[in-house]
Amino acid sequence: MKVTIVQFPGTNCEYDTQYAFEKLGASIEIIWHKETALPADTDLLVVAGGFSYGDYLRSGAIARFSPVMNAVKSYAEKGGKVLGICNGFQVLTESHMLPGALKRNSNLHFISKHHHLKVASTDNTFLKKMEKDEIVNIPIAHHDGNFYIDPDGLKALYDNDQVLLHYCDEDGKISNPNGSIDSIAGITNKNKNVFGLMPHPERAMDTILGSDDGIKMLEGFLNT
Amino acid sequence: MTAIVNISLKSGVLDSQGKAVHHALDALNFKGVEDVRVGKQIVLKLTSTDKIAAKAEVAEMCESLLTNTVIEEYEIELIS
């Protein structure tokens, strides 16, 4: 199992992501954004978190034009699995590989804390190892995580089972940290091979650091 | 020629910054404010002297990079 991680100037979660997937037995290659091709044996492509291009203009807006993104797009179009975490999610929406957009958090604060999430759908390759309505505790750390999509787009997401995660409290009651429409924390594209989420499962790999709930989430991503 | 691009959130999209500024103005006792929208302005110095072509080009820039049309709208003003 080979996980390829894209690194832009300003990416800062590539090594956490490497640690997480190595812990699960995958081999990792981190590639610089100037690359025009992905390693041929890539099983999962990760756009990691951070602050690509300093979040200038809008989060993810400039990374979208990096050479590697053409390769990422064609990889996804051929059915390859793409995961965008946090800034990676922002890059994927800016690239139109995922619908909607990520606005400034409604309270205007940078939010960094553990937050519970509820699994909305397991009918996809990413969360198939989890149970519907299962609750996990995963850190969030973002300024622009306020997911927005127009009403028609929202309906289409639900009709096609593309909403995978909602923010909730420890009892599973919906709890919205950032103003996201319908408390949405993660979605897929129509074909369900591109997944973006604001929370950081790669930071929830050890109980000593607060939670290891990221393990069962990321394990599913490796299972081909 | 100079192009001024004014970018704001679409009218249906909640503007949290605008709301916060509105609250702050209210706290400062400016009671006559009905609504506040915060946007951004990008000023481009262009080599072009053809207004129609320049406007079309700047619109293309807005669609591809300068704005996110999912949540934002823009107006272009040209000054020669």
Side-chain angles (χ1 to χ4, degrees), chain A residues 57-58 61-62 64-65 93-94 96 100-108 146 148-149, chain B residues 7 9 12-17 20 40 42 63-72:
Chain A
L57 193 62
R58 296 178 307 277
I62 298 179
R64 173 190 162 198
F65 295 97
T93 56
E94 283 283 345
H96 308 300
L102 292 145
K103 289 166 51 194
R104 183 56 38 104
N105 293 341
S106 56
N107 65 3
L108 305 178
N146 182 350
Y148 173 83
I149 192 163
Chain B
I7 301 166
L9 288 170
V13 179
L14 180 71
D15 180 357
S16 306
Q17 275 192 84
K40 59 184 152 189
I42 299 175
E63 295 287 331
S64 60
L65 172 66
L66 301 181
T67 75
N68 180 341
T69 54
V70 176
I71 48 174
E72 293 172 327

Coordinates of all heavy atoms in Angstrom, one line a residue, chain A residues 57-58 61-62 64-65 93-94 96 100-108 146 148-149, chain B residues 7 9 12-17 20 40 42 63-72:
Chain A
L57 N -4.8 35.3 -0.6 CA -6.0 35.5 -1.4 C -7.1 34.7 -0.8 O -8.1 35.3 -0.2 CB -5.7 35.0 -2.8 CG -6.8 35.4 -3.8 CD1 -7.0 36.9 -3.9 CD2 -6.6 34.8 -5.2
R58 N -7.1 33.4 -0.8 CA -8.1 32.5 0.0 C -7.4 31.2 0.2 O -6.5 30.8 -0.5 CB -9.3 32.2 -0.9 CG -10.2 33.4 -1.3 CD -11.4 32.9 -2.1 NE -10.9 32.1 -3.3 CZ -10.5 32.6 -4.4 NH1 -10.5 33.9 -4.6 NH2 -10.1 31.9 -5.4
A61 N -6.4 28.7 -2.6 CA -6.7 29.3 -3.9 C -5.5 29.2 -4.9 O -5.6 29.1 -6.1 CB -7.2 30.7 -3.8
I62 N -4.3 29.4 -4.3 CA -3.1 29.5 -5.2 C -2.5 28.1 -5.4 O -2.0 27.8 -6.5 CB -2.1 30.5 -4.6 CG1 -2.8 31.9 -4.6 CG2 -0.8 30.5 -5.4 CD1 -2.0 33.0 -4.0
R64 N -4.0 25.5 -5.9 CA -4.7 24.9 -7.0 C -4.0 25.0 -8.3 O -4.1 24.1 -9.2 CB -6.0 25.7 -7.1 CG -6.9 25.3 -8.3 CD -8.0 26.3 -8.4 NE -8.6 26.2 -9.7 CZ -9.3 27.1 -10.3 NH1 -9.7 28.2 -9.6 NH2 -9.8 26.9 -11.5
F65 N -3.1 26.0 -8.5 CA -2.4 26.2 -9.8 C -1.0 25.6 -9.8 O -0.3 25.8 -10.7 CB -2.4 27.7 -10.1 CG -3.8 28.2 -10.4 CD1 -4.4 28.9 -9.4 CD2 -4.4 28.0 -11.6 CE1 -5.7 29.4 -9.6 CE2 -5.7 28.5 -11.8 CZ -6.3 29.2 -10.8
T93 N -11.7 22.0 -2.8 CA -12.8 22.7 -3.2 C -12.4 23.8 -4.2 O -13.1 24.1 -5.2 CB -13.6 23.4 -2.0 OG1 -12.7 24.2 -1.2 CG2 -14.2 22.3 -1.1
E94 N -11.3 24.5 -3.9 CA -10.9 25.6 -4.8 C -10.6 25.0 -6.2 O -10.7 25.7 -7.2 CB -9.6 26.3 -4.3 CG -9.9 27.3 -3.2 CD -10.5 28.6 -3.7 OE1 -10.4 28.9 -4.9 OE2 -11.0 29.4 -2.8
H96 N -12.3 22.7 -7.5 CA -13.5 22.1 -8.0 C -13.5 20.6 -8.1 O -14.3 20.0 -8.9 CB -13.9 22.8 -9.4 CG -13.9 24.3 -9.4 ND1 -14.7 25.0 -8.6 CD2 -13.1 25.1 -10.1 CE1 -14.4 26.3 -8.8 NE2 -13.5 26.4 -9.6
G100 N -18.8 23.1 -3.2 CA -18.9 24.0 -2.1 C -17.6 24.8 -1.9 O -16.8 24.8 -2.7
A101 N -17.6 25.4 -0.7 CA -16.4 26.3 -0.4 C -16.3 26.3 1.1 O -17.2 26.0 1.9 CB -16.6 27.7 -0.9
L102 N -15.1 26.7 1.6 CA -14.8 26.8 3.0 C -14.6 28.3 3.4 O -13.6 28.9 3.0 CB -13.7 25.9 3.4 CG -14.1 24.5 3.3 CD1 -13.0 23.6 2.8 CD2 -14.8 24.0 4.5
K103 N -15.6 28.8 4.1 CA -15.5 30.3 4.5 C -14.8 30.4 5.9 O -14.6 29.4 6.6 CB -16.9 30.8 4.7 CG -17.7 31.0 3.4 CD -19.2 31.2 3.7 CE -19.5 32.2 4.7 NZ -20.8 32.2 5.2
R104 N -14.6 31.7 6.2 CA -14.1 32.0 7.6 C -15.0 31.4 8.6 O -16.2 31.5 8.5 CB -14.0 33.5 7.6 CG -13.4 34.2 8.9 CD -12.1 33.8 9.4 NE -11.0 33.5 8.4 CZ -10.0 34.3 8.1 NH1 -9.9 35.5 8.7 NH2 -9.1 34.0 7.2
N105 N -14.5 30.9 9.7 CA -15.3 30.4 10.8 C -16.3 31.4 11.3 O -15.9 32.6 11.3 CB -14.4 30.0 12.0 CG -13.6 28.8 11.7 OD1 -13.8 28.0 10.8 ND2 -12.5 28.6 12.5
S106 N -17.5 31.0 11.6 CA -18.5 32.0 11.9 C -18.2 32.9 13.1 O -18.5 34.1 13.2 CB -19.9 31.4 12.1 OG -19.8 30.4 13.2
N107 N -17.4 32.4 14.1 CA -17.0 33.2 15.2 C -15.7 34.0 14.9 O -15.2 34.6 15.8 CB -16.9 32.4 16.5 CG -15.7 31.3 16.4 OD1 -15.0 31.3 15.4 ND2 -15.6 30.5 17.4
L108 N -15.2 33.8 13.7 CA -14.0 34.5 13.3 C -12.7 34.1 14.0 O -11.6 34.6 13.7 CB -14.1 36.1 13.4 CG -15.3 36.7 12.7 CD1 -15.4 38.2 12.9 CD2 -15.3 36.4 11.2
N146 N -15.7 26.7 7.7 CA -17.1 27.0 7.6 C -17.6 26.6 6.3 O -17.7 27.4 5.3 CB -17.3 28.5 7.9 CG -18.8 28.9 8.0 OD1 -19.7 28.1 7.6 ND2 -19.0 30.1 8.4
Y148 N -19.7 25.8 3.1 CA -20.9 26.5 2.5 C -21.2 25.8 1.2 O -20.2 25.5 0.4 CB -20.6 28.0 2.3 CG -21.8 28.6 1.5 CD1 -22.9 29.0 2.1 CD2 -21.7 28.7 0.1 CE1 -24.0 29.5 1.4 CE2 -22.8 29.2 -0.6 CZ -23.9 29.6 0.1 OH -25.0 30.1 -0.7
I149 N -22.4 25.6 0.9 CA -22.9 25.1 -0.4 C -24.3 25.6 -0.6 O -25.0 25.8 0.4 CB -22.8 23.6 -0.6 CG1 -22.9 23.2 -2.0 CG2 -23.7 22.9 0.3 CD1 -22.4 21.8 -2.3
Chain B
I7 N -14.6 42.8 -4.5 CA -15.1 41.4 -4.3 C -15.9 41.4 -3.0 O -15.4 42.0 -1.9 CB -13.9 40.4 -4.1 CG1 -13.1 40.5 -5.4 CG2 -14.4 39.0 -3.9 CD1 -11.7 39.8 -5.3
L9 N -18.9 38.9 -0.6 CA -19.7 37.6 -0.5 C -21.0 37.8 -1.2 O -21.6 38.9 -1.1 CB -19.9 37.2 1.0 CG -18.6 36.7 1.7 CD1 -18.9 36.6 3.2 CD2 -18.1 35.4 1.1
G12 N -26.7 36.0 -0.5 CA -27.3 34.9 0.3 C -26.3 34.3 1.3 O -26.6 33.5 2.2
V13 N -25.0 34.7 1.2 CA -23.9 34.0 2.0 C -23.7 34.9 3.3 O -23.4 36.1 3.1 CB -22.6 33.9 1.2 CG1 -21.6 33.2 2.0 CG2 -22.9 33.1 0.0
L14 N -23.8 34.3 4.4 CA -23.6 35.0 5.7 C -22.2 35.6 5.8 O -21.2 34.9 5.6 CB -23.9 34.1 6.9 CG -23.7 34.7 8.2 CD1 -24.9 35.7 8.5 CD2 -23.7 33.6 9.3
D15 N -22.2 36.9 6.1 CA -20.9 37.6 6.2 C -20.6 37.8 7.7 O -21.0 38.8 8.3 CB -21.0 38.9 5.5 CG -19.7 39.7 5.5 OD1 -18.7 39.3 6.2 OD2 -19.6 40.8 4.9
S16 N -19.8 36.8 8.3 CA -19.5 36.9 9.7 C -18.7 38.1 10.1 O -18.9 38.7 11.1 CB -18.8 35.6 10.1 OG -19.4 34.5 9.7
Q17 N -17.8 38.5 9.2 CA -16.9 39.7 9.5 C -17.8 40.9 9.5 O -17.7 41.8 10.4 CB -15.9 39.8 8.4 CG -14.6 39.1 8.7 CD -13.5 39.5 7.7 OE1 -12.8 40.5 8.0 NE2 -13.4 38.8 6.6
A20 N -19.7 41.1 12.7 CA -18.8 41.5 13.8 C -18.6 43.0 13.8 O -18.6 43.7 14.9 CB -17.5 40.7 13.8
K40 N -13.2 42.8 -0.3 CA -11.8 43.2 -0.5 C -11.7 43.8 -1.9 O -12.5 43.6 -2.8 CB -10.9 42.0 -0.3 CG -11.2 40.8 -1.2 CD -10.2 39.7 -0.8 CE -10.8 38.3 -1.1 NZ -10.1 37.2 -0.6
I42 N -9.0 44.5 -5.1 CA -7.7 44.2 -5.8 C -7.5 45.2 -6.9 O -8.4 45.4 -7.7 CB -7.7 42.7 -6.3 CG1 -7.9 41.7 -5.2 CG2 -6.5 42.4 -7.1 CD1 -8.1 40.3 -5.6
E63 N -12.8 35.0 -12.6 CA -13.4 33.7 -12.6 C -12.4 32.5 -12.3 O -12.8 31.5 -11.7 CB -14.0 33.4 -14.0 CG -15.1 34.3 -14.4 CD -16.4 34.0 -13.6 OE1 -16.7 32.9 -13.3 OE2 -17.2 35.0 -13.4
S64 N -11.1 32.7 -12.7 CA -10.2 31.6 -12.5 C -9.4 31.7 -11.2 O -9.1 30.7 -10.6 CB -9.2 31.6 -13.7 OG -8.5 32.8 -13.8
L65 N -9.1 32.9 -10.7 CA -8.3 33.0 -9.5 C -8.8 34.0 -8.5 O -8.9 33.7 -7.3 CB -6.8 33.4 -9.9 CG -5.9 33.7 -8.7 CD1 -5.6 32.4 -7.9 CD2 -4.5 34.2 -9.2
L66 N -9.1 35.2 -8.9 CA -9.3 36.3 -8.0 C -10.5 36.1 -7.0 O -10.5 36.6 -5.9 CB -9.4 37.7 -8.7 CG -8.1 38.0 -9.5 CD1 -8.3 39.4 -10.2 CD2 -6.9 38.0 -8.7
T67 N -11.5 35.4 -7.5 CA -12.7 35.2 -6.6 C -13.0 33.7 -6.6 O -12.6 33.0 -7.5 CB -13.9 36.0 -7.1 OG1 -14.4 35.3 -8.3 CG2 -13.6 37.4 -7.5
N68 N -13.7 33.3 -5.6 CA -14.3 32.0 -5.6 C -15.8 32.2 -5.8 O -16.5 32.6 -5.0 CB -14.1 31.3 -4.2 CG -14.7 29.9 -4.2 OD1 -15.5 29.6 -4.9 ND2 -14.2 29.1 -3.2
T69 N -16.2 31.9 -7.1 CA -17.6 32.2 -7.5 C -18.6 31.4 -6.8 O -19.8 31.6 -6.9 CB -17.7 32.1 -9.0 OG1 -17.3 30.8 -9.4 CG2 -16.9 33.1 -9.7
V70 N -18.2 30.4 -6.0 CA -19.2 29.6 -5.2 C -19.8 30.6 -4.1 O -21.0 30.5 -3.8 CB -18.6 28.4 -4.5 CG1 -19.5 27.7 -3.6 CG2 -18.0 27.4 -5.6
I71 N -18.9 31.4 -3.5 CA -19.4 32.3 -2.4 C -19.2 33.8 -2.7 O -19.8 34.6 -2.0 CB -18.6 31.9 -1.1 CG1 -17.1 31.9 -1.4 CG2 -19.1 30.7 -0.5 CD1 -16.3 31.7 -0.1
E72 N -18.5 34.1 -3.7 CA -18.2 35.6 -3.9 C -18.7 36.1 -5.2 O -18.9 35.3 -6.2 CB -16.6 35.8 -3.8 CG -16.0 35.5 -2.5 CD -14.5 35.6 -2.5 OE1 -13.9 35.2 -3.5 OE2 -13.9 36.0 -1.5

